[in-house]
Amino acid sequence: MGSFNEGKLRFCIDRGGTFTDVYAEIPGQPDGRVLKLLSVDPSNYDDAPVEGIRRILEEFTGEKISRTLKIPTDKIEWIRMGTTVATNALLERKGERIALCVTRGFRDLLQIGNQARPSIFDLTVSKPSNLYEEVIEVDERVELVYDKEEENQDSSASLVKGVSGEIVKVVKPLNEDALKPLLKGLLEKGISSLAVVLMHSYTYPHHEIAVEKLAASLGFRHVSLSSALTPMVRAVPRGLTASVDAYLTPVIKEYLSGFISKFDEGLGKVNVLFMQSDGGLAPESRFSGHKAVLSGPAGGVVGYSQTLFNLETQKPLIGFDMGGTSTDVSRYAGSYEQVLETQIAGAIIQAPQLDINTVAAGGGSKLKFQFGAFRVGPESVGAHPGPVCYRKGGELAVTDANLILGFVIPDYFPSIFGPKEDQPLDIKATREEFEKLAREINSYRKSQEPSAKDMTVEEIALGFVNVANETMCRPIRQLTEMKGHETRNHALGCFGGAGPQHACAIARSLGMKEVLIHRFCGILSAYGMGLADVVEEAQEPYSAVYGPESVLEASRREAMLLKQVTQKLQEQGFREENITAETYLNLRYEGTDTAIMVKRRIAEDESAFDYAVEFVNLFQQEYGFKLQNRNILMCDVRVRGIGVTNILKPQALEPAFGTPKFEGHYKVYFGSGWHDTPLFKLENLGYEHVLPGPSIIMNGNSTVIVEPNCRAIITKYGNIKIEVESTLNTVTVAEKVADVVQLSIFNHRFMGIAEQMGRTLQRTSISTNIKERLDFSCALFGPDGGLVANAPHVPVHLGAMSSTVQWQLNYWGDNLNEGDVLVTNHPCAGGSHLPDITVITPVFDNGRLVFFVASRGHHAEIGGITPGSMPPFSKSIWEEGAAIKAFKLVEKGIFQEEGIVELLQFPCSDEVAHKIPGTRRLQDNLSDLRAQVAANQRGISLIKELIEQYGLDIVQAYMTYVQLNAEEAVREMLKSVATRVSSQSSNLGDGNLVTIEEEDYMDDGSVIHLKLTIDSDKGEAIFDFNGTSPEVYGNWNAPEAVTAAAVIYCLRSLVDVDIPLNQGCLAPVKIHIPAGSFLSPSDKAAVVGGNVLTSQRITDVVLTAFQACACSQGCMNNLTFGDDTFGYYETIGGGSGAGPTWDGTSGVQCHMTNTRMTDPEIFEQRYPVLLHKFGLRENSGGTGLHRGGDGLVREIEFKHPVVVSILSERRVHAPRGLKGGRDGAHGANYLVTKDNRRVYLGGKNTVEVQAGEILQILTPGGGGWGSPL
């Protein structure tokens, strides 16, 4: 176990949110001492880790140590600790008071972020609060020199070579005189922690360093510089990281100094280290907030990876850490899988950290029965009041279900409940609550099918556990398969309090054959602290094309960084032979944003390592293709220095003799009924003991359930290995109604297929629109073309693809074969607008058509009269680019490249005399079409897996059941809306019918008129658009599919439950659109604006009719610019409408879109532009009892002549308020010319802009709700 230093103790501690786990190595004791205590228990002790050390020292020395005295350190060799102090402060928003210091023009940059809203169906658009209280804008500006021409034009002394090698122009030096009073003002308000993010500081950090010096001289206690923390391009994540660091580091430092103050002065000689998010340890002086948020979970990953991989299995491992409120999932296959960016509690952190995915499902997840289906989470009952069985008046949770089934044994659970904290778990109260729920469930099932057999309490509890398991399986599938790995080829490394109860079932669902449970599974995060190494990181940006010269320069930078990290480790006492290093280059293909951190591998023959070859291999493994004839660009050089500690060593056991001794028998409920199950204690089991299932193994406070058809083996190192036999599914469709448990599971499985298709498309595409802006959708359809599941990517695609599939089904009829893939984008064939190309693949089973899968992606270029294929002035469909009604992109397995190239390059119709240009980016189109084919193929293989698992009849039956389930949810919502609306006004209805009329105008005066009739008895609605204006001589005509998408989006947003998006949502709804109106135009009509403008107005009209919320910005503010060499497209957010209980949100994408904004630094690095301002448009939201959200201001200066097109609405008619709330401000578009004239461009225009001219876009605010008080 490693040599002990003069009989001293070693402590590994994980201070969690609820419990603190301590593992101590004690001289002369081979097993180590394990202690678990409450993290917060103020009546007994101040600090749990200190208390744990105190108790164990008392045991070891036999001497009493008073809590009032400092703890003696003469018997302590080292302390290693992980802590959730940072995570909790972030979650609860209890960090330090901080201010943000940012380049002038960008005060709202971090609040806007990437514009996307967290949940697309949440009308309140709730976003996490800002970490900073105040913002100060700094007079300074640094500009990247775009090309050699610009460099030659400006040979002044203001040109500097940045750290990254890019040429930088200091346009405006830092004005310290103006900054000083602003900083003093912050100190006067009591703010002494500062986050600094200045434009392009990743390559030119001098201004940030100057701010730090000035702030420190004035008395700021802490300053976090974005350039020092993460010197990488992209201002938003870098700024958010600096904010997190400034917010958390003072809290951590305060906690650590308090911890250290509890020990005597000898602590300086004790090695005290803290676990970072990247799985490495750091001394107290180098432990900072932005590297601390995954401190505890990182210990668990180190724990399972270092004790199970290669020792217990050769298979790659999936780490499964199930706690009370959430479950952490990770992967290990010989090296730590790291990410450079993650989002925690709404804050983006850009720093190396282990790739740990957190799912909102744990022992405390709430159990609900809604709309005929079982639902688990994402809400949690928390520790207080907790589950019903905690005797605090809580609600039913997963823990309660496990208690009913016998998976939790009260005899072996601490008796810490009740008023005196001395009672066991309350199984009686739990059973009573389940009996109440059983009456509700059985009553519902009888209403659906009078002959349905009642479900028992046990069947219901097991059903909820099965649904919880499927909820946790979904992210595991995504984690592995997203990176091109087969889930079934892994072993499940299970730990955490609740994980071992679910391990066998999870493994079986995922097709895994092996589960490994460490003997310290309940405290593995603490144990992992003792297995971790000390890590020092250094990184700097380096921007260059990969080639011989840049490789030499990168090597020089590597050597310099290596020297830095080695020196830091040597200062901590590491000798050179105990230091290893990993070097990385961050590489990407030119024209993409997908960078891969490539690690140098040492070849056995010590030959030179080629990062580019490794990058191409890694790119192909993860994304499934190579990009030919494309430059590889360097972005960053990174060195990770590792001080190898090698302290805890696993101890091998001697083989055990005799049969294992059980402690007793307990009743446990499995799918086949109650089983009399033996219970064993792990400490009484030995190496090579085999326990057939069913059996229970008590491992400290963790209950390990070995299910029937599994067997547990005690390994050489005292861990538990469970061999899982896969069993055939026993789902039947004997009854005429859906099994309420399987209904939830199939909902998850169908949605999981659509989501994985989306991930495949994102991975394998090359265009910015799909890969980074996420402008795509994927869906699964029945053989009739009816929507089964639509992953919620872009709302304007929702439900709209169903009519596309049905049109193709009618067109091709019997002429569909296995191996065919269809492509279409024409509005009259169920399309939206031409840039949105849909790829459809029929799915066959034994020659029979059983499903369709489809993916729709926005192609940045499809031809037409302007670059970017979003022409503001198009009057006919053929002016907008290639229009494809029906074509077999793949026929019987052969990609029809010649045919699709012809369609894309020569879109010209016979009806026009002049030639309309074809696509300007053919190779990008072909690559993205192939990516869409690959996404569909992924969907097909997942459907076939499902059919193989359950059988075709079952899968198709549940395809129908999930649609009926969604239909019921919408019917219930319509009934409740009708009741609410009729109670507010007596003039709206006739008996059970409620009728509401609503209308709004496009900027040209075209009217959208809606007569909404709701039947409150049947829960049905008619959306009648009679009275809508005729087809327009413009491009904001909207195909019928767009109206269907807007209606389905509104209905889903009004149903306050996470129902699947499928055809069932539209079953209780009739949509009547008058032919020839601009919502049902002819096949010759221009439609490019219908998808992006009119869809937003339809949504406003529908939501206003339902009195759900005031109008949002009602536009997508489409901006395109480019020349013959490039094209750029973005949509700009605005203000969302206020509602009856909420204010609108400022600067977000609203309703029918949720695409992301390009980071300002990337924007200026890739394109010939200078962004002067990107911020909130103050007071543009409508006033009211609840205010509408503010719009945005975007000011772009062009460095080269380009063609700029703006396609926008709400420039004439403002977004309306509701219930007395005021209207939001309408938008405006201006061009500031070289001679300083400010010219109004109107809502739709194309202009040839000269170098030095500035485009100003002011987006609309949202309407207010209710009369202002």
Side-chain angles (χ1 to χ4, degrees), residues 768-834:
T768 302
N769 273 336
I770 295 175
K771 206 171 201 67
E772 277 89 46
R773 292 182 59 251
L774 310 185
D775 195 347
F776 65 85
S777 285
C778 296
L780 170 65
F781 304 85
D784 60 348
L787 180 65
V788 175
N790 196 141
H793 295 123
V794 178
V796 78
H797 298 164
L798 297 177
M801 280 197 281
S802 183
S803 50
T804 314
V805 175
Q806 286 166 347
W807 194 96
Q808 296 296 318
L809 186 58
N810 292 334
Y811 179 86
W812 294 102
D814 295 333
N815 188 20
L816 285 176
N817 304 296
E818 197 146 5
D820 286 353
V821 181
L822 316 175
V823 63
T824 179
N825 69 340
H826 203 294
C828 78
S832 47
H833 63 175
L834 297 185

Side-chain angles (χ1 to χ4, degrees), residues 638-668:
R638 174 180 161 212
V639 174
R640 181 176 165 88
I642 301 161
V644 181
T645 55
N646 212 13
I647 287 173
L648 296 186
K649 292 280 174 64
Q651 187 181 18
L653 306 179
E654 292 298 319
F657 297 101
T659 54
K661 173 178 167 285
F662 61 83
E663 307 295 318
H665 279 78
Y666 289 84
K667 296 274 187 201
V668 183

Side-chain angles (χ1 to χ4, degrees), residues 9 212 219 229 411 551 580 672 685 767 811 834 1087 1186 1189:
L9 284 76
E212 180 183 36
L229 296 170
D411 296 357
V551 167
T580 63
S672 53
L685 298 173
S767 69
Y811 179 86
L834 297 185
V1087 295
H1186 294 287

Side-chain angles (χ1 to χ4, degrees), residues 304-305 308-310 313-319 330-335 337 480 485-493 512 514 516:
Y304 83 77
S305 62
L308 301 178
F309 187 77
N310 269 348
T313 184
Q314 298 301 310
K315 290 182 180 180
L317 288 158
I318 294 292
S330 56
R331 180 178 183 272
Y332 185 84
S335 62
E337 298 196 352
T480 51
H485 308 293
E486 280 282 345
T487 311
R488 66 183 72 185
N489 296 337
H490 293 67
L492 193 68
M512 294 179 181
E514 199 176 317
L516 292 160

